[in-house]
Amino acid sequence: MDWQTFAQKALNGECLTLEEGLTVLETGNDEVLPLLHAAFIVRKHYYGKKVKLNMIINAKSGLCPEDCGYCSQSIVSTAPVKKYTLLDKDTLLAGAREAMARKAGTYCIVAAGKGPTDKELDQVVDAVREIRETMPLKICACLGILKDDQAGRLAEAGVHRYNHNLNTSKANYPSITTTHTYDQRVETVEEVKKHGMSPCSGVIIGMGETNQEIVEMAFALRELDADSIPINFLNAIPGTPLEHAGRTSSMKALKVLALFRFICPSKEIRAAGGREVNLRTLQPLSLYAVNSLFVGDYLTTAGQEISADHQMIEDLGFEIELNAL
């Protein structure tokens, strides 16, 4: 297969067809290196060899009324996770300082729940304003479904980006959660865009979706015009409904990342949650398709040592993009 024709289509602004997308996911493993080379042509065109780093703080944990099957913090999970209400301002500020120490350009404030209460929003807004005044960080918030006035307040406070993942395909959505809908997620991303915040929305691979649905997810995010696309790979946590789901093979994960680079060529594509346990020793190869990583721990699972991420980037001859959105 001449994968460079796919790269050229991406650079020309043309979208792959469904059949072409399936070809990427279903190609033999012997084709992965030439496939990644073609993806790198696109990645290098838009981002050179720079890597954006993001850091998450779990700002409110284990008290979520939603029934998302992948999440250890959901109401249906029996996983032993910490439970606490929204962190105070000093703790959120300390997290921002830690993000800077890790060379992250974007600090992600994430709170479990269907959506923020007014009191919680007040706390986040207060912290965001001080971070913006005292640190050269970009701020991403992930607080669930937003009302119009809440989105406006976050934007006014200085939140640069808002994350609300689609997570899976529209067809697969009811098998993952029943307490909110796929369309509600899309509506929140549109609300974010309306208020001038950069939209961040991604997926979780490995939740029973078909290859066709993976391609459809990429199409949906292209249509949504998400600026940042975190590609998570399910880390099946004991005590969650998806605890027995098998891991995505390392080679399949690389094919997924290449697919999203071809379909959303100019966007920030991030190897996100679960990269360590799914990509395993092939993590460095992911950077030929993606241009962004999370550094440190995730919400309730451990990430790779920060020094190992920095070393991986350096060994590849890539460069951390400081203060990058």
Side-chain angles (χ1 to χ4, degrees):
M1 185 73 192
D2 183 6
W3 300 112
Q4 296 202 27
T5 61
F6 286 23
Q8 197 56 55
K9 283 190 74 167
L11 294 175
N12 291 342
E14 303 171 43
C15 189
L16 299 189
T17 65
L18 174 61
E19 292 72 22
E20 288 170 331
L22 287 171
T23 299
V24 172
L25 296 179
E26 294 170 1
T27 193
N29 290 342
D30 289 350
E31 288 289 303
V32 166
L33 286 180
L35 176 66
L36 285 175
H37 175 65
F40 181 62
I41 291 171
V42 182
R43 182 240 198 271
K44 189 175 181 183
H45 175 82
Y46 288 104
Y47 295 101
K49 299 179 83 173
K50 293 186 176 180
V51 181
K52 300 173 187 285
L53 300 182
N54 300 250
M55 192 198 92
I56 291 174
I57 187 167
N58 191 3
K60 176 187 171 187
S61 178
L63 299 169
C64 186
E66 304 293 280
D67 67 354
C68 304
Y70 53 84
C71 183
S72 60
Q73 302 182 80
S74 80
I75 196 168
V76 295
S77 168
T78 60
V81 299
K82 292 180 180 178
K83 294 180 171 62
Y84 51 83
T85 57
L86 193 71
L87 298 174
D88 61 32
K89 184 169 77 169
D90 287 345
T91 307
L92 293 176
L93 292 172
R97 289 189 290 271
E98 179 61 25
M100 291 186 62
R102 296 178 184 184
K103 301 183 181 180
T106 301
Y107 177 49
C108 308
I109 300 172
V110 183
K114 188 159 193 171
T117 65
D118 289 339
K119 181 181 177 181
E120 289 169 341
L121 200 76
D122 289 342
Q123 289 176 254
V124 172
V125 163
D126 191 26
V128 167
R129 284 186 173 139
E130 186 157 342
I131 294 168
R132 288 297 311 274
E133 289 170 2
T134 58
M135 298 176 223
L137 273 176
K138 310 296 184 184
I139 301 171
C140 177
C142 178
L143 311 174
I145 294 169
L146 290 179
K147 301 171 186 174
D148 180 77
D149 63 311
Q150 292 177 324
R153 289 192 62 204
L154 289 172
E156 189 274 332
V159 171
H160 298 84
R161 176 170 286 168
Y162 195 85
N163 167 262
H164 204 55
N165 292 333
L166 296 185
N167 286 328
T168 193
S169 69
K170 187 168 185 174
N172 194 42
Y173 210 82
S175 71
I176 302 305
T177 183
T178 63
T179 47
H180 61 269
T181 66
Y182 177 93
D183 288 340
Q184 283 178 293
R185 291 203 166 244
V186 172
E187 288 163 9
T188 291
V189 177
E190 293 293 356
E191 193 70 47
V192 165
K193 290 161 63 176
K194 186 175 78 173
H195 286 275
M197 288 182 285
S198 172
C200 174
S201 189
V203 298
I204 305 172
I205 302 298
M207 300 198 297
E209 71 284 343
T210 65
N211 281 343
Q212 178 167 327
E213 286 173 325
I214 294 174
V215 180
E216 289 169 353
M217 291 181 221
F219 287 162
L221 289 166
R222 178 185 174 103
E223 178 67 24
L224 201 54
D225 201 25
D227 291 331
S228 176
I229 302 174
I231 309 296
N232 301 278
F233 297 96
L234 181 69
N235 184 353
I237 299 172
T240 63
L242 290 176
E243 65 178 332
H244 298 300
R247 63 177 284 274
T248 300
S249 74
S250 303
M251 299 297 263
K252 173 68 173 290
L254 291 171
K255 295 170 192 177
V256 169
L257 296 175
L259 172 77
F260 275 80
R261 177 56 68 199
F262 290 138
I263 292 178
C264 304
S266 66
K267 303 303 188 178
E268 176 184 346
I269 297 178
R270 186 176 317 120
R275 67 175 164 95
E276 296 86 354
V277 297
N278 288 272
L279 285 161
R280 299 201 294 211
T281 59
L282 299 189
Q283 283 188 74
L285 290 177
S286 70
L287 286 170
Y288 287 96
V290 309
N291 65 297
S292 178
L293 298 173
F294 280 120
V295 285
D297 295 339
Y298 301 96
L299 295 175
T300 63
T301 57
Q304 184 166 273
E305 283 291 327
I306 296 125
S307 59
D309 282 329
H310 290 176
Q311 190 68 64
M312 178 174 70
I313 293 165
E314 180 183 332
D315 288 348
L316 284 166
F318 285 30
E319 173 189 357
I320 296 171
E321 185 176 353
L322 299 176
N323 305 126
L325 180 60

